[in-house]
């Protein structure tokens, strides 16, 4: 039985191109199995390794709502996560 609340996951990314799809597979599968409604907010902290392009290439394989916030310059983790929590609904 799935939990009926709406949950948001805020994920910090900076040059995470090599690992982001594996991570999203795991978190999307877990949330899909356990929650009726969820969103995954990805905060891209000015990555330079093509992280955003990799996510966009694979976006259709995920079942949840994937929101991407792209920061124009590097803010570091605290400010980036704050931006993500301001955008979250759950």
């Amino acid at each position: 039985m799935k939990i009926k609340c709406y949950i948001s996951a805020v994920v910090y990314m900076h040059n995470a191109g090599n690992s982001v799809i594996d991570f999203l597979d795991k978190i999307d599968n877990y949330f899909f199995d356990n929650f009726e409604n969820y969103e995954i907010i990805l905060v891209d902290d000015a990555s330079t390794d093509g992280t955003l392009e990799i996510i966009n290439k694979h976006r259709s394989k995920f079942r949840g709502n994937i929101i991407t916030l792209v920061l124009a310059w590097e803010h570091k983790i605290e400010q980036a996560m704050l931006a993500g929590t301001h955008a979250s609904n759950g």
Side-chain angles (χ1 to χ4, degrees), residues 4-70:
K4 296 186 183 291
C5 69
Y6 190 89
I7 189 166
S8 299
V10 179
V11 179
Y12 174 80
M13 301 181 310
H14 179 73
N15 293 334
N18 291 334
S19 59
V20 68
I21 298 305
D22 288 337
F23 175 78
L24 284 174
D25 276 335
K26 290 175 185 172
I27 196 169
D28 185 56
N29 286 332
Y30 178 80
F31 281 3
F32 183 79
D33 290 343
N34 292 288
F35 297 96
E36 286 189 9
N37 299 295
Y38 64 94
E39 66 184 357
I40 302 169
I41 300 172
L42 306 173
V43 183
D44 182 10
D45 194 12
S47 294
T48 58
D49 70 342
T51 298
L52 185 60
E53 291 79 12
I54 292 168
I55 293 166
N56 288 335
K57 180 179 176 184
H58 296 277
R59 186 177 293 274
S60 63
K61 71 188 266 185
F62 303 114
R63 297 170 283 194
N65 188 18
I66 307 292
I67 299 165
T68 307
L69 300 179
V70 181

